[in-house]
């Protein structure tokens, strides 16, 4: 038997190798996406728990501080103390709400996966242009 292959066999072999490479690359990218999703889920759960506990502690602290300020100024400036505390709390709450909206709009989900897919696409385009 001869070692040479016909053009159809070489084309079939090249197609088979290309399909294998595409499947391997796709599997790698899918594993990366799953890993990123798992990390993001764990980070989100931790953030929610810490945010809930910190909000509870902040609420209790602000309530105690507001009560202390109102009691301290009860005889002379009770309405000013109540209004001042309310204004500080409202301004702080609005500022934090704006900051949370800013953080929520940032894209962090699957950032690395999207970078690698873009890099793969660029490499495929440069290789096809070279041929």
């Amino acid at each position: 038997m001869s070692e040479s292959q016909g053009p159809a066999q070489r084309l079939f072999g090249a197609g088979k190798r290309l399909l294998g490479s595409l499947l391997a690359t796709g599997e790698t990218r899918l594993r990366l996406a799953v890993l990123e999703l798992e990390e993001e889920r764990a980070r989100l759960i931790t953030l929610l728990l810490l945010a809930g506990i910190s909000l509870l502690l902040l609420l209790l602290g602000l309530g105690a501080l507001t009560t202390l300020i109102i009691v301290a100024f009860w005889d002379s400036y009770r309405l000013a103390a109540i209004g001042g505390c309310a204004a500080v709390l409202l301004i702080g709450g609005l500022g934090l709400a704006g900051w949370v909206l800013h953080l929520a709009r940032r894209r962090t989900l699957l950032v690395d996966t999207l970078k690698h897919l873009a890099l793969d696409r660029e490499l495929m385009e440069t290789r096809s242009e070279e041929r």
Side-chain angles (χ1 to χ4, degrees):
M1 299 191 108
S2 78
E3 294 291 324
S4 65
Q5 297 179 347
Q9 290 176 335
R10 284 184 287 182
L11 181 63
F12 180 70
K16 198 172 170 182
R17 286 189 304 273
L18 177 65
L19 184 61
S21 295
L22 288 175
L23 287 175
T25 302
E27 180 185 7
T28 302
R29 296 305 176 233
L30 184 61
R31 286 177 189 255
L32 178 63
V34 168
L35 181 66
E36 280 190 77
L37 286 172
E38 288 174 353
E39 287 177 355
E40 191 66 25
R41 183 189 62 169
R43 188 181 77 83
L44 184 62
I45 289 171
T46 303
L47 276 173
L48 287 174
L49 286 173
L50 290 175
I53 293 169
S54 66
L55 283 174
L56 179 65
L57 293 174
L58 281 171
L59 179 65
L60 291 172
L62 282 175
L65 180 64
T66 302
T67 304
L68 175 69
I69 292 172
I70 291 171
V71 168
F73 292 104
W74 187 258
D75 291 333
S76 54
Y77 301 105
R78 85 182 92 186
L79 292 178
I82 293 171
C85 288
V88 167
L89 292 173
L90 286 173
I91 290 170
L94 289 173
L96 286 174
W99 185 42
V100 166
L101 286 175
H102 171 72
L103 291 176
R105 289 187 180 134
R106 288 190 331 187
R107 288 186 173 206
T108 58
L109 188 62
L110 300 177
V111 171
D112 290 333
T113 300
L114 294 174
K115 282 182 189 176
H116 284 285
L117 287 174
L119 181 63
D120 290 345
R121 186 181 64 240
E122 287 176 14
L123 288 174
M124 292 296 286
E125 288 173 357
T126 56
R127 286 183 183 170
S128 66
E129 289 174 1
E130 288 175 358
R131 293 179 184 179

